[in-house]
Amino acid sequence: GDSVTQMEGPVTLSEEAFLTINCTYTATGYPSLFWYVQYPGEGLQLLLKATKADDKGSNKGFEATYRKETTSFHLEKGSVQVSDSAVYFCALKSGGSNYKLTFGKGTLLTVNP
Amino acid sequence: GAGVSQSPRYKVAKRGQDVALRCDPISGHVSLFWYQQALGQGPEFLTYFQNEAQLDKSGLPSDRFFAERPEGSVSTLKIQRTQQEDSAVYLCASSLWGSPQETQYFGPGTRLLVL
């Protein structure tokens, strides 16, 4: 079945550091890939998405590229801020069951000033 | 409303009690989803509606869980005879149609604690 494996946290960085959160997947067909973010005390929000191979999703300085050959969708940001502290979830919707999201376990990011 | 709303936001139940959780999707959204998020885990799919039709309930963990969406808008997730292992955050999401590329918009969740 479909699955998503995320880099285990927690991740602690200083402000302005470079961020990478690794995500790899197993899926039927050609999935759409998503990163969701959950800020403290808030609900899940879509951060970015990519729907086909080699697409790059980007938002708020975050980027992720859909790599079919390595089945990966790593999240990156060049310079993190304290306000980026949150839990980040990688997720997919596969062609086999194209309506439900399959999530990774989440990665807690803490950015210190 | 502008987003997906859920009520109540918090629910404490005694073991064996029945609970009902409500979801109001974004107006006009055809597809509605329920997910269960255990502490420290990612959300896991429970069930999916397209309008009033429940097309997939494969994620419901037992026959104590029941969901409905009788008029194709508001949905209710009911848990009968709650158990401690039912303690989790229950998330509702909606999308316009349900296609693979579409974004699912999530509500704030209902945090259920079963004592």
Side-chain angles (χ1 to χ4, degrees):
Chain A
D2 298 344
S3 68
V4 174
T5 302
Q6 266 183 255
M7 171 176 159
E8 296 237 352
V11 174
T12 303
L13 296 173
S14 297
E15 208 164 22
E16 299 184 4
F18 184 85
L19 169 71
T20 300
I21 300 178
N22 290 339
C23 172
T24 58
Y25 65 88
T26 304
T28 305
Y30 300 96
S32 295
L33 302 175
F34 304 81
W35 277 99
Y36 278 83
V37 59
Q38 193 168 37
Y39 297 103
E42 297 185 19
L44 277 170
Q45 302 174 25
L46 178 70
L47 180 60
L48 53 84
K49 67 180 181 182
T51 58
K52 61 183 189 296
D54 299 325
D55 268 2
K56 178 185 285 189
S58 61
N59 186 26
K60 299 182 181 180
F62 291 89
E63 293 183 339
T65 301
Y66 188 138
R67 300 286 188 201
K68 183 169 177 292
E69 62 276 12
T70 54
T71 62
S72 65
F73 193 53
H74 304 320
L75 182 68
E76 296 183 336
K77 187 174 185 182
S79 176
V80 293
Q81 305 300 311
V82 172
S83 57
D84 294 328
S85 298
V87 181
Y88 292 81
F89 292 93
C90 185
L92 67 83
K93 276 198 281 184
S94 75
S97 54
N98 58 14
Y99 41 82
K100 65 182 180 184
L101 286 163
T102 299
F103 286 87
K105 291 186 175 181
T107 302
L108 172 63
L109 170 66
T110 302
V111 180
N112 294 319
Chain B
V4 179
S5 60
Q6 293 185 245
S7 60
R9 292 292 309 276
Y10 303 93
K11 177 70 179 176
V12 178
K14 293 182 180 177
R15 191 160 52 95
Q17 192 176 355
D18 296 351
V19 298
L21 313 180
R22 177 187 169 106
C23 172
D24 283 83
I26 294 172
S27 178
H29 277 196
V30 166
S31 295
L32 184 145
F33 309 82
W34 284 97
Y35 294 84
Q36 180 189 58
Q37 186 177 15
L39 190 64
Q41 301 295 313
E44 292 193 355
F45 171 80
L46 293 177
T47 188
Y48 162 63
F49 290 86
Q50 191 171 81
N51 294 307
E52 68 278 4
Q54 188 174 22
L55 298 186
D56 187 341
K57 54 182 181 179
S58 63
L60 296 177
S62 78
D63 59 8
R64 295 185 296 103
F65 287 71
F66 172 75
E68 60 183 5
R69 193 186 185 198
E71 296 178 0
S73 55
V74 170
S75 177
T76 304
L77 177 68
K78 297 179 179 177
I79 310 173
Q80 297 177 323
R81 305 181 303 281
T82 52
Q83 303 295 314
Q84 287 187 321
E85 60 263 29
D86 300 335
S87 296
V89 177
Y90 290 86
L91 298 170
C92 177
S94 70
S95 65
L96 187 57
W97 297 112
S99 70
Q101 298 80 11
E102 277 188 335
T103 299
Q104 288 183 20
Y105 296 90
F106 283 80
T110 294
R111 187 176 296 275
L112 173 65
L113 177 62
V114 181
L115 302 176

